[in-house]
Amino acid sequence: MASIRIREFRFPDDYSPVIRFWEKIEKGIHVGRSDALVEIEKKLQRDPDLFLIAEGDGKFIGTVIGGFDGRRGFVYHLAVADPYRGQGIGSRLLKEVEDRLRKKGCLRCFLFVTSDNEEARRFYENHGWMPMVNDHPFAKDLA
């Protein structure tokens, strides 16, 4: 694992390879409108230090996006390529984004796990995340 490097996303150079990487993830990552080039650019203007890439063997092998609105944090698109799972890469990415959120003053953080992704649910629970049983997420497209 010594050859695995975590670094910040570089815009725009990393955009196309990362989108291709997400599209190959078999479950849990859904590339949508908020992943368009212009939307990623807007996200990076707010907190560029929270979009992280894990590299190994000369390619992208993992990603995570953190968000902070000044009050609450969010974690999106934590993914590790299948051949690299079980080596602690996802844990390193999650810890790094959590540490960076904590340094910004974030006290509470949220994330979503798709209903078909039991592996991800266990991963997050093993890292101290708890299901929110009394809260129900809502969403609304504004554009």
Side-chain angles (χ1 to χ4, degrees), residues 4-74:
I4 306 301
R5 181 172 81 106
I6 295 176
R7 65 165 177 84
E8 292 178 10
F9 180 90
R10 292 183 204 121
F11 186 83
D13 297 341
D14 289 338
Y15 178 76
S16 291
V18 164
I19 292 294
R20 285 191 302 272
F21 173 78
W22 288 338
E23 289 171 340
K24 290 179 185 174
I25 297 296
E26 61 281 357
K27 62 182 171 183
I29 301 286
H30 303 286
V31 176
R33 293 185 316 170
S34 62
D35 300 313
L37 182 73
V38 67
E39 297 302 317
I40 295 295
E41 184 176 26
K42 285 192 296 190
K43 189 271 174 280
L44 292 169
Q45 290 170 1
R46 182 168 185 90
D47 32 39
D49 57 323
L50 296 179
F51 191 155
L52 304 174
I53 304 292
E55 291 180 317
D57 298 329
K59 59 186 171 193
F60 295 120
I61 60 170
T63 64
V64 67
I65 300 175
F68 184 57
D69 66 9
R71 187 167 170 266
R72 300 285 192 230
F74 299 89

Side-chain angles (χ1 to χ4, degrees), residues 63-96:
T63 64
V64 67
I65 300 175
F68 184 57
D69 66 9
R71 187 167 170 266
R72 300 285 192 230
F74 299 89
V75 174
Y76 308 95
H77 289 8
L78 175 60
V80 175
D82 188 44
Y84 297 91
R85 293 183 191 149
Q87 299 178 36
I89 298 163
S91 297
R92 285 179 57 192
L93 284 165
L94 184 59
K95 181 182 181 330
E96 183 66 26

